[in-house]
């Protein structure tokens, strides 16, 4: 089962026909599986593998800055009662800012490497007003190895991109379930200590 907006075969055809010009926006929307397919096409001589790596890293960073901007500027545009309903009162935002001040780098790396929490972590970093340069460096530190890993997977095994897409989806679900379970255990333990 594919998470792609368009079918994976159509995506591969689109990339092979239109090249890197299509890769950037496709990588911005679809992420890892687009990287796998583009790297597979590079292994077949259609692209330069280093150009693929550069484009997907840049697309990933652009998307991350968009989510950061959503958190940083989007909250101010929400009515106060919506922020309260979302649990984003001034006290919570102050705690969030404190968290990102002391543990922001680790949190960003966790979000980047788990894929499941990426969106929420990036928006939270913006809402916490994490310094832009710090956000950039930690984000780059998580983006480069993750993107290069998917390039390597695609270059070596990309012909099985449909299966790889399933593995990515399943791995994301497993990581999400483990993280939620760990969070629940932490909350229960915290409640018991009180």
């Amino acid at each position: 089962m594919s998470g792609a907006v368009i079918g994976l075969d159509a995506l591969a055809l689109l990339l092979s026909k239109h090249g890197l010009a299509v890769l950037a926006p496709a990588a911005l929307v679809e992420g890892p599986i687009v990287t796998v397919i583009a790297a597979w096409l590079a292994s077949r001589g259609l692209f330069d593998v280093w150009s693929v790596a550069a484009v997907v890293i840049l697309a990933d960073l652009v998307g991350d800055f968009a989510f950061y901007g959503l958190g940083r500027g989007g909250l101010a545009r929400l009515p106060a009662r919506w922020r309260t309903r979302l649990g984003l009162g001034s006290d919570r935002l102050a705690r969030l800012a404190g968290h990102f001040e002391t543990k922001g780098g680790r949190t960003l790396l966790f979000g980047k490497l788990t894929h499941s929490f990426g969106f929420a972590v990036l928006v939270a970093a913006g809402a916490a007003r994490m310094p832009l340069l710090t956000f950039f460096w930690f984000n780059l530190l998580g983006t480069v190895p993750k993107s290069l890993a998917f390039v390597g997977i695609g270059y070596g095994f990309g012909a099985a991109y449909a299966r790889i897409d399933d593995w990515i989806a399943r791995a994301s679900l497993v990581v999400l379930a483990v993280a939620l379970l760990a969070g629940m255990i932490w909350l229960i333990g915290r409640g018991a200590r009180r």
Side-chain angles (χ1 to χ4, degrees):
M1 183 184 310
S2 167
V5 172
I6 63 172
L8 296 179
D9 293 333
L11 186 59
L13 182 62
L14 196 65
L15 287 170
S16 64
K17 194 171 188 175
H18 297 288
L20 296 177
V22 171
L23 177 57
L28 192 61
V29 174
E30 292 295 344
I33 194 59
V34 170
T35 303
V36 168
I37 293 171
W40 171 63
L41 293 172
S43 76
R44 299 179 69 202
L46 272 73
F47 299 132
D48 171 64
V49 72
W50 295 111
S51 297
V52 168
V55 169
V56 298
I57 288 169
L58 186 60
D60 196 299
L61 291 172
V62 167
D64 293 348
F65 274 99
F67 288 132
Y68 174 89
L70 178 67
R72 189 167 181 124
L75 276 181
R77 290 184 172 82
L78 281 176
R81 72 173 198 265
W82 285 17
R83 286 193 303 257
T84 303
R85 283 186 181 168
L86 291 171
L88 298 172
S90 57
D91 290 345
R92 168 106 11 119
L93 288 174
R95 285 194 309 268
L96 186 64
H99 172 83
F100 272 92
E101 189 175 315
T102 59
K103 299 175 185 165
R106 276 187 284 178
T107 304
L108 274 176
L109 290 175
F110 173 76
K112 288 299 289 179
L113 299 178
T114 59
H115 192 61
S116 300
F117 289 106
F119 165 78
V121 169
L122 296 166
V123 171
R129 301 201 173 282
M130 183 178 198
L132 200 54
L133 192 57
T134 305
F135 174 82
F136 171 75
W137 285 115
F138 277 107
N139 214 32
L140 185 65
L141 189 62
T143 296
V144 169
K146 178 181 175 181
S147 296
L148 291 179
F150 283 116
V151 167
I153 290 167
Y155 199 85
F157 309 103
Y161 58 77
R163 235 186 245 155
I164 293 168
D165 188 41
D166 283 342
W167 293 339
I168 292 169
R170 288 180 183 169
S172 292
L173 286 175
V174 167
V175 168
L176 179 62
V178 168
L180 289 174
L181 181 63
M184 287 172 46
I185 291 169
W186 178 79
L187 284 173
I188 291 168
R190 184 176 168 198
R193 283 190 301 268
R194 285 185 175 175

